[in-house]
Amino acid sequence: MTQLTVHTRATLAGPVIELSGGLDNNSAPDVRTLLPRLTLQAGQQLVIDLTGITFCDSSGITVLIAARNRALAARADIALAAVPDRVSRMLHIVGLDQVFPTHPTAQAAAAAWTPPTSE
């Protein structure tokens, strides 16, 4: 199993978490621990970039759900980027393809983000 590496970066749209390697029972707690520490403002978008994911099991899917919950709690959006086919199939099977917007790249996700309007 390939060890998971996690990189975060800030964009105008919000934080981007780049995951590479295996997202499984051993590595999922590392990502889960990171989520509460993210700076995520209302109206922003959290992007999970899965470009480098080589493996994802149910623990990995649970982490994606936890990230969505973190975004919702902050009144922010979430998007997945570069979802590998095997992960996309898993999301479809469990119906999560209906709750996670997906984009081909993190840049495309940022471009699709609409900043909140001031009222």
Side-chain angles (χ1 to χ4, degrees):
M1 184 67 51
T2 307
Q3 182 176 352
L4 182 73
T5 58
V6 180
H7 295 283
T8 60
R9 59 186 169 87
T11 70
L12 290 176
V16 176
I17 301 173
E18 300 169 345
L19 302 176
S20 184
L23 183 55
D24 58 19
N25 190 50
N26 291 328
S27 61
D30 297 336
V31 180
R32 213 179 243 286
T33 300
L34 166 74
L35 295 174
R37 297 190 315 239
L38 290 174
T39 302
L40 184 61
Q41 304 297 320
Q44 286 188 315
Q45 173 180 253
L46 171 60
V47 175
I48 310 291
D49 186 344
L50 302 174
T51 300
I53 288 295
T54 57
F55 177 80
C56 181
D57 66 9
S58 61
S59 298
I61 298 298
T62 301
V63 164
L64 297 179
I65 294 168
R68 180 177 183 271
N69 291 342
R70 167 69 174 99
L72 292 176
R75 296 186 330 239
D77 293 326
I78 187 166
L80 303 180
V83 181
D85 287 342
R86 63 195 160 280
V87 176
S88 183
R89 281 191 300 275
M90 287 174 50
L91 293 173
H92 177 73
I93 288 168
V94 296
L96 291 174
D97 59 332
Q98 302 300 309
V99 297
F100 283 108
T102 60
H103 301 277
T105 64
Q107 293 79 11
W113 172 72
T114 306
T117 56
S118 299
E119 295 182 40

